[in-house]
Amino acid sequence: MLAAGGGLVAGGALAACGSNTGRGGGGSGPEISQWYHQYGEPGTQGAVQRYAAAYKKADVRVQWRPGDYDRQTAAALLTDSGPDVFEVNGPLLEQIQGGQVEDLTAEIESVKNDFNQAVLAPKIWQDKVWGIPQVVDMQMLYYRKSLLKEAGVRPPQTLDELVDTAKKLSSKKTKGLFLGNDGGVGVLSGTPLHAAGLSLIDEDGKVGFDDPAAARALGKIRQLYADKSLLLGAPTDWSDPAAFVQGLTAMQWSGLWALPGIKKALGDDFGVLPFPKDGSGGKPAVPVGAYGSAVSARSKRKADAKAFVKWLWVERRDFQQDFALSYGFHIPARISLAKKAKQLQQGAAADATRFATEYGHAEPLLWTTAARNAYQDALSRIIKDGANPESELKSVVRKVNAELQQVKKKTAK
């Protein structure tokens, strides 16, 4: 969730993956194939088929792709039998540099500034837009108002306060904080770095965490683990609010998608926060992500596919809002639509929408799989094993610098 996929599989493996073909569109024009990953929210598949049927300039055939969608798509883009239009998760660097996707700058240009800029950024390369964000997903900190009041603590506004508050809230029955069953290794990623005023990759395309503040921030995450303030071994992981709702933890890091269930179970006995800032140069941080709609460079109907993408994700504002809020709980990728959505105008939902706009950060375009793996491995050693944050990050900086050099070489070619 909110993380990029990638990799290739053999053609035989792709053929073995099942798919459900949606009914065609209502148009009499050329046939266009459109791929979606398998959403878990009921009604989503029917909705995208309905959108396709409403398009009159082409016969849009929806394919619902269960299984490892990212690997299926990566393999299909190398063949002539792949989709014309498809969803892509996270940064698009590999597809862009591989010449696998079409430039969609002209299609989005008129409304480019209306999109959440944090989720649009990983779709931009060399000032061109290669994918159009569909909806925004985000993560944030949930806290139980009654438990914090009982312990005499306020909602944490800084990372130091988060460490102290989680410790005070921990008891035999309830832990102070749940960051996932691995202690936050899998979900936090670069969020603590952004909270310290840093980033994974800076605006100049260089390593954004070659700074002592990075080690200090990650050291505080380790302190949460060392203090035994973190819930570990919960029945479900961080993306599910069950541990929070059942009172196993007083605070939990989870996604916006969890909000309706929490509201139903707890009423008004909860609040939400961005990840707290760290240090004088820090600021609150909120990870955001978005599947984007892209057009395959191998499509034989590029112009028709581009026209359909523009129609659905730029012109049809009603479908965009329906897709975001009628099947699950997401934020429309368009800022103007998010502001108008009634479901997002009050309480925790309104707070979450504001956090995503003001503090949102997405995984950067240049953050490669190798860079991600190196950082995640170091984060695991820091949090779980108590490894020295400074030395671990120095090693990661070297690896990421090497990755960035490779990216530049591919660009030069």
Side-chain angles (χ1 to χ4, degrees):
M1 298 180 186
L2 310 184
L8 303 177
V9 293
L14 174 65
C17 294
S19 66
N20 296 319
T21 303
R23 61 180 180 272
S28 57
E31 183 176 308
I32 296 174
S33 63
Q34 182 186 26
W35 283 20
Y36 288 90
H37 80 286
Q38 186 175 16
Y39 285 80
E41 296 93 344
T44 309
Q45 184 176 4
V48 298
Q49 290 173 342
R50 176 164 52 83
Y51 307 155
Y55 190 60
K56 304 304 181 184
K57 295 182 179 180
D59 184 16
V60 181
R61 303 274 173 168
V62 172
Q63 288 199 30
W64 202 247
R65 307 293 300 189
D68 193 335
Y69 174 84
D70 293 326
R71 287 182 178 274
Q72 291 180 44
T73 307
L77 291 177
L78 300 176
T79 74
D80 291 327
S81 59
D84 298 300
V85 178
F86 64 99
E87 287 187 313
V88 64
N89 187 22
L92 273 164
L93 182 64
E94 292 182 9
Q95 292 92 338
I96 295 169
Q97 290 193 321
Q100 297 175 337
V101 289
E102 286 291 301
D103 175 9
L104 298 176
T105 307
E107 282 67 33
I108 196 177
E109 192 64 38
S110 63
V111 295
K112 182 179 176 182
N113 292 335
D114 189 35
F115 279 82
N116 181 301
Q117 296 301 294
V119 295
L120 182 61
K123 312 293 191 277
I124 297 176
W125 175 247
Q126 295 181 336
D127 297 324
K128 296 179 180 179
V129 180
W130 302 88
I132 300 180
Q134 297 173 172
V135 297
V136 177
D137 275 318
M138 61 168 291
Q139 299 164 15
M140 56 188 172
L141 184 66
Y142 291 86
Y143 65 91
R144 286 286 293 272
K145 294 179 180 178
S146 59
L147 294 180
L148 268 66
K149 183 177 180 180
E150 184 179 325
V153 295
R154 69 169 187 166
Q157 302 300 307
T158 67
L159 185 51
D160 286 324
E161 287 185 9
L162 180 65
V163 174
D164 292 341
T165 300
K167 189 173 183 178
K168 291 177 181 178
L169 289 168
S170 295
S171 64
K172 292 182 179 180
K173 294 182 178 180
T174 303
K175 286 293 185 179
L177 177 62
F178 185 37
L179 296 174
N181 284 323
D182 60 2
V185 173
V187 68
L188 288 181
S189 187
T191 300
L193 304 180
H194 281 270
L198 307 173
S199 61
L200 293 170
I201 304 292
D202 66 21
E203 294 181 356
D204 296 323
K206 299 178 180 178
V207 177
F209 54 94
D210 189 6
D211 189 293
R216 288 195 295 270
L218 296 187
K220 292 172 185 178
I221 306 300
R222 162 59 188 176
Q223 190 61 47
L224 284 164
Y225 191 93
D227 286 344
K228 297 184 178 180
S229 300
L230 298 179
L231 173 64
L232 303 171
T236 58
D237 217 334
W238 66 270
S239 61
D240 189 313
F244 183 68
V245 169
Q246 294 170 9
L248 301 179
T249 180
M251 299 184 290
Q252 178 173 333
W253 187 254
S254 192
L256 176 66
W257 55 83
L259 197 152
I262 292 174
K263 175 72 174 177
K264 183 177 180 180
L266 302 180
D268 293 327
D269 187 23
F270 77 98
V272 295
L273 293 170
F275 194 89
K277 65 180 181 180
D278 185 48
S280 58
K283 60 181 181 180
V286 172
V288 295
Y291 271 92
S293 187
V295 172
S296 171
R298 296 185 77 112
S299 171
K300 296 177 182 178
R301 296 160 289 273
K302 295 186 183 71
D304 296 307
K306 287 184 176 183
F308 171 66
V309 168
K310 180 179 181 180
W311 174 83
L312 181 54
W313 298 114
V314 173
E315 297 173 1
R316 288 306 299 258
R317 294 163 61 91
D318 54 340
F319 287 164
Q320 293 159 35
Q321 187 152 329
D322 179 66
F323 189 68
L325 291 162
S326 297
Y327 321 97
F329 202 64
H330 317 273
I331 300 173
R334 302 274 291 276
I335 295 172
S336 61
L337 291 179
K339 288 180 178 179
K340 292 180 179 179
K342 292 182 179 179
Q343 301 96 316
L344 302 176
Q345 290 180 354
Q346 294 182 346
D351 292 337
T353 304
R354 177 171 57 83
F355 297 159
T357 303
E358 294 182 6
Y359 308 129
H361 65 86
E363 196 169 77
L365 180 71
L366 299 180
W367 192 241
T368 65
T369 300
R372 185 186 308 112
N373 290 341
Y375 176 79
Q376 291 296 128
D377 289 345
L379 191 60
S380 179
R381 290 189 290 269
I382 292 169
I383 294 176
K384 292 185 171 183
D385 303 331
N388 184 278
E390 292 183 1
S391 58
E392 288 289 339
L393 287 176
K394 284 181 180 179
S395 176
V396 177
V397 167
R398 289 194 296 270
K399 293 178 181 178
V400 176
N401 274 326
E403 277 295 295
L404 292 174
Q405 290 302 316
Q406 290 298 317
V407 170
K408 292 178 181 178
K409 288 181 180 178
K410 289 180 181 179
T411 302
K413 293 179 182 179

